[in-house]
Amino acid sequence: MRRLYPLMLALLLAGCAQYQAGSRNPLIRTSYDAADQLVQLTQPTLPKDAPLIVATFVHLDHLTEAATLGRVLSEQVATRFTQMGYPVVELKLRGSVFVREGKGELLLSREVKDISLAHNVQAVVVGTYATSPDKIFLNLKIVRPQDNRVLSAHSVAIDLNETTQALLLSEPS
């Protein structure tokens, strides 16, 4: 049993180091900070006893499409909500959500209410992004699906660099 303690400690420390390394990545940090801001700005406050849905973030001019960047950012925001203790419904496991191969979970308004009722969802996190020559502008909202009321909104500017450019251009094969 004594031999297991050093191994368990090493695995725990490796996990902590890996979390810290990921959270220092600028794109992940931006996503996590945006989720934190959304929660802080939400009125009324979101209770942690009812689930949320995080939809794929889409391009502002093409609302039925998302580059890999939109899917990555929405996954990171969903991760942060989970870390904060909010139950997040995983849409990829549902058959009734509008999912196009390589496009992510794109929620149609009629489906939001159906899914919200089925899972007793208190809110949906949605986002859009647009690009300029040197920035990606990401706009996030927490919306109450019962009446489409925006409970909070937050915007961030992300540097357009080699990584984000690759995520904008990449499509699954």
Side-chain angles (χ1 to χ4, degrees), residues 30-142:
T30 299
S31 297
Y32 285 12
D33 289 346
D36 293 346
Q37 285 296 310
L38 279 176
V39 170
Q40 289 176 4
L41 297 169
T42 302
Q43 293 301 321
T45 303
L46 289 177
K48 292 184 179 179
D49 62 350
L52 304 169
I53 291 174
V54 179
T56 297
F57 302 158
V58 295
H59 191 283
L60 185 60
D61 293 330
H62 307 284
L63 296 176
T64 59
E65 297 181 13
T68 300
L69 178 74
R71 294 186 297 276
V72 167
L73 291 170
S74 63
E75 289 287 334
Q76 291 171 353
V77 167
T79 296
R80 185 63 177 153
F81 272 93
T82 301
Q83 290 172 350
M84 289 188 283
Y86 290 95
V88 176
V89 175
E90 177 57 71
L91 293 177
K92 287 187 234 31
L93 301 178
R94 295 208 26 100
S96 64
V97 178
F98 174 52
V99 178
R100 291 173 50 195
E101 187 64 35
K103 300 298 181 192
E105 305 82 31
L106 304 172
L107 297 181
L108 300 177
S109 58
R110 67 180 177 277
E111 292 167 331
V112 171
K113 288 187 180 175
D114 293 343
I115 294 168
S116 299
L117 287 172
H119 290 282
N120 194 28
V121 171
Q122 66 175 319
V124 179
V125 179
V126 296
T128 59
Y129 60 88
T131 60
S132 74
D134 65 336
K135 297 284 183 192
I136 300 164
F137 296 95
L138 176 64
N139 303 295
L140 304 170
K141 296 177 185 173
I142 295 180

Side-chain angles (χ1 to χ4, degrees), residues 6-17:
L7 177 62
M8 291 177 8
L9 180 60
L11 289 173
L12 178 63
L13 291 174
C16 289

